[in-house]
Amino acid sequence: MSGLEDLYREIILDHYRNPRNRGELEVPPATRAEGFNPLCGDEIVVYLHLDDPTRGDSAVVEDVRIGGQGCSISQSSASMMSAAVKGRTVGEVRELTRAFKAMMSIHEGELEGGAAEPADADPSELRLGDLEALRGVVKFPVRIKCATLSWNTLLQGIDDAEAG
Amino acid sequence: MSTGPTGAAVAADLTGDRPADDAADDLDVAAVKADFPLLATTKHDRPLVFLDSAASSQKPRAVLEAMDHYYEHDHTNVHRAAYDLAERATSAMEGARGKVARFIGAGSAEEVVFTKNATEAINLVARSWGAANLSPGDAVVLTQLEHHANIVPWQQLAAERGLELRWVPLTDDARLDLTGLDQLLDGAKLLGVTAMSNVVGTLPDVRALADAAHAAGALVCVDGCQSVPHLPTSVADLDADFVAFSGHKMCGPTGVGVLWARRELLEEMPPFLGGGGMILDVRLDGFVPADVPHRFEAGTPPIAEIVGLGAAVEYLEALGMDRVRRHEVAMNAYALRTLTERFGEEITIHGPAEPAARGGVMSFEFRGIHPHDLSQVLDQHGVCVRPGHHCAKPLMRVLGVGATARASWYVYNEEADVDALADALAEAGRFFDF
């Protein structure tokens, strides 16, 4: 069962059991973005409140909340993401997202048209922190979309917020 | 869970009290299994336990050899050429059409149209018959059991034509709730219904529905994707107007499906895809379509796959579809009893409680573990089940879930496979014990 333990690290199961930042935010001022994983039926909702969406990459994530349902990988990834992006600038969030998706393999980046462009620095230096626990997911290619679902939904939320 | 006592009682009837001569007429599953090369593979040093035939069945050697033989000895393009090889290719393909027609009790081989799969077959009905016969305000009745393949083509046509879609609701055990059927059918032009749910195994009474639809002046389009591989099928007995199914779920190859329709309907229907092979004549100012069924088979068909499908229906006929069905009911009974006895309230099995009221497919919820996680752990034990919405999201919403784990059986599955599933579920329960 070593394969399973690579995938289901204790910190992942902890975030699955006790998800951080579950809930909703008032829309507006927050934005609400929905993401779907058509493979397994998972649905994720990301509520995002930026202090001032007109400031572009300098805008700060005031608050973020996660709704929807999904497997342990998508739910724990969303939970860790919410904790990691709160209080960060949009520029930092974009960089973190790039680093996370790079960790989720170049393979998926190719499939998605280069979304995971190679990071300049070694991804491990980009303070992924707890998110490192999801590294084992790349050994289970079907589950990569579970791990990246919330991140893609967050990016969509940022785009929505910036579009006003 | 809700299905326990009934399932166990029927299981006893099927496995304990059956006369000896009936038992002798059972499928020899070990012999059947040996016909399927892929099932000899192992996963983590254990035999593969394949419980995903509702998605696609494995292929017996006879089908693989028929396709190889075709390519090695008989292949060229079909129709029109005068040389002997073309004659052989054409007769291989048309011979398969005859076998499929016999398998489903069709009146003639000309009522069998080869498509890419069942999805394309239903799209053919919508795009050809539907576009020619449905006008703004016309109603199409569908059920909440349907696979997306029998929903989306009608939604597309409805959006373009201004059709009204009506839905037959479900009961708590995922059967059709027919209390309002007459009202739903009032003024409707078509009823689309699955003959067997790909998620919960429900077996709608297609004949009764066809009678009601015809009395209301509506035609019936049956999604036979699950039923034709698993149940004895006579399109005459169903009294349906259209029946769609796929080759790859019934021991045949991918890439070939079938639309059966009553000949008089096909003859009135305009072509679906245009191109070579589907015409009698083409001039600069227009074309004359070919006769049925070739009118609906534009372009070079999947000849080898059609030959493979012919071999698949011969294989199933040799097993005997009555025997196949009895085997799957017995598997239903054994699975309902085993899973209930081992897991009690920890497992919820969706759909009808009686083994004989289901096809060989079982969606379940286990200890609140997400189906994607569940199937991941089962995979570590070499048990293949499918997590997800099974292309039936409206049904998922009725069941109140985002996804289910689904196990399905076929001719090569045996009770030991259910035991392996149960053992793996117990392991998953230990792994996600929180």
Side-chain angles (χ1 to χ4, degrees):
Chain A
M1 292 301 108
S2 62
L4 274 186
E5 262 106 43
D6 282 350
L7 181 62
Y8 295 114
R9 306 274 297 277
E10 186 50 42
I11 194 159
I12 293 175
L13 296 177
D14 175 61
H15 276 268
Y16 183 45
R17 280 183 289 242
N18 308 297
R20 325 295 198 260
N21 300 304
R22 283 290 295 187
E24 302 177 5
L25 293 174
E26 190 183 343
V27 180
T31 55
R32 178 184 189 278
E34 278 184 336
F36 298 91
N37 183 342
L39 295 174
C40 60
D42 285 1
E43 301 177 5
I44 205 146
V45 185
V46 175
Y47 294 89
L48 178 70
H49 183 204
L50 300 180
D51 64 340
D52 181 0
T54 65
R55 290 171 59 214
D57 277 2
S58 303
V60 172
V61 177
E62 290 267 314
D63 205 353
V64 62
R65 288 284 189 276
I66 306 294
Q69 53 173 349
C71 67
S72 61
I73 302 302
S74 73
Q75 293 294 291
S76 63
S77 182
S79 172
M80 287 188 244
M81 176 191 78
S82 70
V85 303
K86 220 186 225 185
R88 299 240 198 189
T89 67
V90 165
E92 289 169 334
V93 170
R94 288 192 190 279
E95 192 186 351
L96 190 64
T97 304
R98 270 195 295 274
F100 180 76
K101 290 177 76 166
M103 183 177 81
M104 286 297 115
S105 97
I106 296 157
H107 177 61
E108 193 190 36
E110 287 169 348
L111 288 178
E112 294 194 336
E117 59 198 57
D120 293 326
D122 181 340
S124 63
E125 292 175 18
L126 287 164
R127 298 184 307 281
L128 284 167
D130 287 0
L131 290 161
E132 286 280 349
L134 285 163
R135 189 180 287 278
V137 171
V138 292
K139 292 184 194 164
F140 300 82
V142 174
R143 307 301 293 274
I144 291 173
K145 289 225 181 294
C146 306
T148 55
L149 177 64
S150 58
W151 296 83
N152 289 325
T153 310
L154 176 72
L155 289 180
Q156 187 193 321
I158 291 173
D159 290 347
D160 291 351
E162 290 181 341
Chain B
M1 70 159 216
S2 58
T3 53
T6 316
V10 178
D13 286 342
L14 283 167
T15 56
D17 304 330
R18 188 170 33 193
D21 57 344
D22 267 13
D25 198 36
D26 283 349
L27 273 188
D28 181 351
V29 177
V32 170
K33 202 167 183 174
D35 290 338
F36 290 77
L38 186 139
L39 296 176
T41 58
T42 56
K43 166 99 182 177
H44 307 309
D45 298 325
R46 307 170 208 227
L48 188 73
V49 177
F50 185 74
L51 294 174
D52 196 21
S53 295
S56 193
S57 78
Q58 298 302 341
K59 319 304 171 197
R61 199 170 281 105
V63 168
L64 306 177
E65 286 174 353
M67 294 172 70
D68 279 350
H69 184 275
Y70 167 75
Y71 274 130
E72 287 169 11
H73 300 281
D74 298 330
H75 174 68
T76 180
N77 213 332
V78 289
H79 305 311
R80 289 173 301 279
Y83 52 92
D84 175 60
L85 189 58
E87 192 65 48
R88 288 211 302 278
T90 302
S91 72
M93 172 169 147
E94 295 306 322
R97 195 189 304 274
K99 291 172 192 173
V100 171
R102 185 182 66 209
F103 185 70
I104 60 171
S108 78
E110 285 69 39
E111 294 183 335
V112 170
V113 177
F114 288 120
T115 61
K116 182 171 68 181
N117 47 35
T119 297
E120 185 181 279
I122 294 172
N123 275 274
L124 194 168
V125 177
R127 291 288 149 185
S128 171
W129 178 86
N133 291 280
L134 299 177
S135 310
D138 281 348
V140 169
V141 181
L142 303 170
T143 87
Q144 294 189 358
L145 276 180
E146 300 309 306
H147 186 285
H148 296 165
N150 205 18
I151 295 176
V152 178
W154 303 110
Q155 289 177 326
Q156 289 176 303
L157 194 65
E160 289 168 25
R161 292 294 175 104
L163 309 178
E164 178 195 355
L165 295 186
R166 301 175 185 167
W167 299 92
V168 179
L170 304 183
T171 61
D172 286 346
D173 62 348
R175 298 180 203 238
L176 299 185
D177 177 354
L178 299 177
T179 50
L181 183 66
D182 289 345
Q183 275 173 300
L184 286 171
L185 286 173
D186 187 23
K189 292 286 176 64
L190 182 91
L191 168 67
V193 62
T194 178
M196 172 181 154
S197 163
N198 69 308
V199 179
V200 288
T202 307
L203 302 170
D205 184 345
V206 172
R207 178 56 192 252
L209 289 164
D211 288 346
H214 291 153
L219 298 187
V220 179
C221 177
V222 175
D223 175 358
C225 222
Q226 296 294 332
S227 64
V228 172
H230 297 275
L231 309 172
T233 299
S234 158
V235 293
D237 290 349
L238 290 178
D239 201 26
D241 299 289
F242 306 100
V243 179
F245 54 99
S246 287
H248 71 95
K249 293 186 200 287
M250 49 193 289
C251 298
T254 57
V256 60
V258 170
L259 173 67
W260 170 86
R262 286 193 290 113
R263 186 178 181 122
E264 59 267 34
L265 283 170
L266 287 176
E267 284 175 346
E268 294 295 315
M269 283 160 56
F272 171 43
L273 301 174
M278 50 71 73
I279 50 87
L280 280 183
D281 187 23
V282 179
R283 296 163 190 266
L284 294 182
D285 60 354
F287 72 94
V288 180
D291 289 336
V292 297
H294 301 107
R295 181 188 303 174
F296 302 102
E297 295 175 354
T300 297
I303 310 165
E305 286 75 11
I306 290 170
V307 168
L309 178 56
V313 300
E314 283 188 322
Y315 181 82
L316 288 171
E317 277 179 341
L319 295 184
M321 288 306 293
D322 286 320
R323 213 177 269 125
V324 169
R325 173 61 181 155
R326 273 208 310 281
H327 170 65
E328 294 188 16
V329 172
M331 286 290 292
N332 285 346
Y334 185 76
L336 287 164
R337 186 180 62 197
T338 301
L339 297 176
T340 302
E341 282 177 4
R342 288 194 55 174
F343 303 115
E345 299 291 329
E346 293 181 335
I347 195 164
T348 303
I349 297 172
H350 299 293
E354 306 81 36
R358 317 172 61 105
V361 52
M362 199 163 281
S363 271
F364 55 89
E365 189 276 335
F366 182 67
R367 293 185 57 161
I369 302 171
H370 190 280
H372 222 165
D373 293 317
L374 200 55
S375 71
Q376 191 87 60
V377 180
L378 299 191
D379 177 61
Q380 293 290 312
H381 295 265
V383 177
C384 309
V385 302
R386 186 159 291 252
H389 53 62
H390 315 297
C391 296
K393 288 199 86 170
L395 173 57
M396 291 293 115
R397 294 196 174 95
V398 172
L399 297 176
V401 297
T404 71
R406 182 189 71 181
S408 52
W409 14 96
Y410 205 16
V411 292
Y412 35 69
N413 291 113
E414 51 200 328
E415 292 182 353
D417 296 336
V418 174
D419 294 337
L421 169 65
D423 290 345
L425 283 173
E427 288 293 329
R430 276 192 281 282
F431 193 84
F432 288 102
D433 187 18
F434 51 84

